[in-house]
Structures are given as structure tokens and as C-alpha cells.
Amino acid sequence: MAAITAALVKELRDKTGAGMMDCKAALSATDGNMEAAIDWLRAKGLSKAAKKADRVAAEGLVAVSVQGNEGVVAEVNSETDFVARNPEFQALAKTIADVALERGGDVEALLGHHYPGGGTVQDAIANAIATIGENMTLRRVASLKVSSGVIGSYVHGAIADGLGKIGVIVALESTGKGDELAALGRQLAMHVAATNPVALDLASVAPDVLEREKAILAEKNAGKPANVLEKIIESGLKSYAKEFCLLDQAYIHDGSKSVSQVLKEIEGKVGAPVKLAGFARFALGEGIEKEEQDFAAEVAAAGGTAG
């Protein structure tokens, strides 16, 4: 049996909003497994914030670069928010995104590509580390391209052109009017920034995620006849799609319509079919566990009084 520490209970409470005793019970029931404990709380209707899977705060910038029918979003991390406001670091993040636009979205390959001014992207990062004095990393890159249509983009919390805390690109395939498509692309990118969908539609959701949702619904409704349970799960997945799947979500700019309905309606304005082919959304620091410093212990250690 894993030790259920106060820190573990607090972490689960922060992620779910459930009560302290419920969190302790969930961790005890799942032998300290965090993800299983989250599912346990959700199945019992005790989790208030299932979407808060990661509450983290890494620093740096998300950079977006779009040219024609191609777009890139990249995350470049630093140790402090102060460095994110450094013009040299901003130039680094923006240039990396521009290079990725030409070279593609594979991080390892991108690090070896030529960086404007000399050397590679990896060299440019190393030079910035030496100059600015903080560790920096190119964490991830995503790219989208359409044969015809537009790439819409949006940066939330922008501190400079194309640089901010959340970056989104969306791909619209269509031979219709470019201006109308561009306007819709930006609106959809804003929607994605606000709602953080997990996939385009239910069919695009990862199989293990769907199975997890089904298992939670089955546990919530344990004991009901198989035919009834099947309908409950089907209905539950439709509700899941409306919350987490982009095409099924209520459009933030007009809650009376789904995103798929908005796409259908715009076809008349642009004069051609419109397909939402993909999206990428990076929020700064998501999924990175940031070490919490014990300030009292740090001071004690510095003074030679640590036990």
C-alpha cells in the first residue's frame, strides 16, 4: 500500500476541487494512483474540476507564425517570467517559430536546422542561455498546412506580435473567399483558446480516453440493465463530445450554434464547402511539473541549520 501523504492529498484536491477527506479516501482506494483517484472521484460525482488535469506554471513564451496556407505554434521555455519579457528571448522564440514554418514541426530535427545569423537553432538557444543566464528549452512544435484555404491564428495574453501565453492555429480547407475564411479562422482560433478541446470530434478522441469515459459512466450507473446502461453510455459520450470535441462544442461567439453548424452556415458566404481540418493549441507550461521550493528549508540550509 502506497503512503498517502498530505502533499498527495493536496495535489488531488487542487486538481479536482473535491473535499480533503474524499481525496484521501480516493487515494486510499486506488493505492495512491493519481489518475485512478481522479476517476474514482468523478465516478462518485465528487470531482468539481475534472478538466483541471494539470495545474502547472512553467515560464517562457508560446510563439505563432503563419504564412499563407501554413502555420506553426511553438513553445520555448525559460526559468522565469522575467526572461519572457527580455527582447532577446522574444526574438529567439519568434525566430524559432519562423524557422519551424520553413522546416516543419519535429523538435529534434528543428534543433539541427540553420538559425538566421549563423549556427543551428540549438546553438542559438545555447547562446541565449549564456547571454541571459537562464536555462531555456524548445519544448514542442506543431504545424498545420492546407492545400487550399487558410490557417487562422490567435495569441492570448500577447506581449508582442505572435508571442504570448496561449497560441492557437486552426486549418480551414476551402476554395471559398479568402477574407471570409480568414475572419472565421481567427474566430475559431479564439474559440479553441477559450474551450481547449481535446479533439475535432468523438471519432478523433484517443481510444484509451473514450474507454476511460465509458468506464466512469458504467461505474456511475452500476447495477442497471445492460440495454439501459448502453443507452446511458451513448448519451454520456454525446455530452462529453459537446464539452470536449471542437465540432460539437457550442460556439463561444454564438452559444445557440455548434461549431459544425457555424461551418455549414459560412459556406453560403464564402461560396464553397468549408472543412475544419485540424487545430493546435499550446498553453504555456501545461503538463510540466514545476518544483515547489520550501523557502524555510532553503533559508535553514543556507544558514547551516538544516537537520
Side-chain angles (χ1 to χ4, degrees):
M1 173 68 72
I4 309 304
T5 64
L8 202 60
V9 173
K10 180 181 182 299
E11 181 182 355
L12 181 58
R13 187 182 185 190
D14 287 344
K15 288 184 174 183
T16 64
M20 195 69 79
M21 294 308 296
D22 289 327
C23 288
K24 187 173 182 180
L27 288 164
S28 297
T30 58
D31 197 25
N33 184 295
M34 183 62 63
E35 292 302 315
I38 291 172
D39 289 351
W40 189 93
L41 289 168
R42 291 183 62 193
K44 296 188 180 302
L46 298 172
S47 175
K48 299 175 184 177
K51 289 169 113 175
K52 295 182 180 178
D54 293 299
R55 296 186 60 152
V56 293
E59 305 302 340
L61 288 169
V62 175
V64 170
S65 183
V66 176
Q67 184 174 352
N69 60 348
E70 297 183 55
V72 160
V73 57
E75 180 179 358
V76 183
N77 293 122
S78 61
E79 292 181 49
T80 65
D81 181 62
F82 179 76
V83 166
R85 300 181 181 280
N86 182 304
E88 286 186 40
F89 181 78
Q90 292 177 12
L92 175 72
K94 182 61 177 171
T95 305
I96 287 174
D98 290 341
V99 173
L101 191 63
E102 295 181 11
R103 302 294 187 174
D106 179 79
V107 170
E108 291 305 315
L110 182 59
L111 289 170
H113 281 307
H114 175 75
Y115 188 86
T120 64
V121 170
Q122 183 69 74
D123 293 334
I125 294 172
N127 291 336
I129 292 171
T131 302
I132 297 173
E134 274 196 18
N135 189 32
M136 301 168 198
T137 59
L138 170 59
R139 182 184 175 212
R140 52 184 175 161
V141 180
S143 60
L144 293 174
K145 182 178 181 179
V146 291
S147 56
S148 61
V150 301
I151 302 295
S153 66
Y154 172 70
V155 174
H156 185 72
I159 63 173
D161 184 36
L163 300 171
K165 300 295 186 182
I166 298 176
V168 178
I169 52 176
V170 297
L172 290 176
E173 287 186 353
S174 178
T175 57
K177 299 175 183 175
D179 289 347
E180 293 280 357
L181 288 172
L184 176 62
R186 177 171 172 76
Q187 295 294 305
L188 286 171
M190 293 174 70
H191 172 101
V192 171
T195 64
N196 192 18
V198 301
L200 276 176
D201 52 26
L202 204 56
S204 304
V205 177
D208 61 318
V209 174
L210 280 183
E211 289 305 313
R212 179 174 169 177
E213 292 302 315
K214 290 178 182 178
I216 291 170
L217 289 165
E219 187 175 342
K220 276 185 176 180
N221 297 277
K224 293 185 178 178
N227 62 324
V228 174
L229 184 59
E230 184 179 351
K231 290 181 179 178
I232 289 173
I233 291 175
E234 182 181 350
S235 176
L237 290 179
K238 286 181 180 178
S239 297
Y240 175 88
K242 287 180 180 179
E243 186 173 0
F244 293 104
C245 297
L246 178 52
L247 290 171
D248 295 291
Q249 287 178 328
Y251 192 44
I252 63 165
H253 304 289
D254 183 352
S256 67
K257 302 171 185 176
S258 68
V259 170
S260 60
Q261 288 173 326
V262 170
L263 289 169
K264 195 65 180 174
E265 288 182 5
I266 199 71
E267 291 181 354
K269 291 184 179 180
V270 303
V274 179
K275 178 185 177 183
L276 180 49
F279 70 92
R281 177 190 186 275
F282 287 175
L284 182 65
E286 61 190 349
I288 301 175
E289 291 296 339
K290 189 175 182 182
E291 183 180 353
E292 292 186 11
Q293 299 293 331
D294 184 335
F295 185 66
E298 187 179 327
V299 171
T305 59

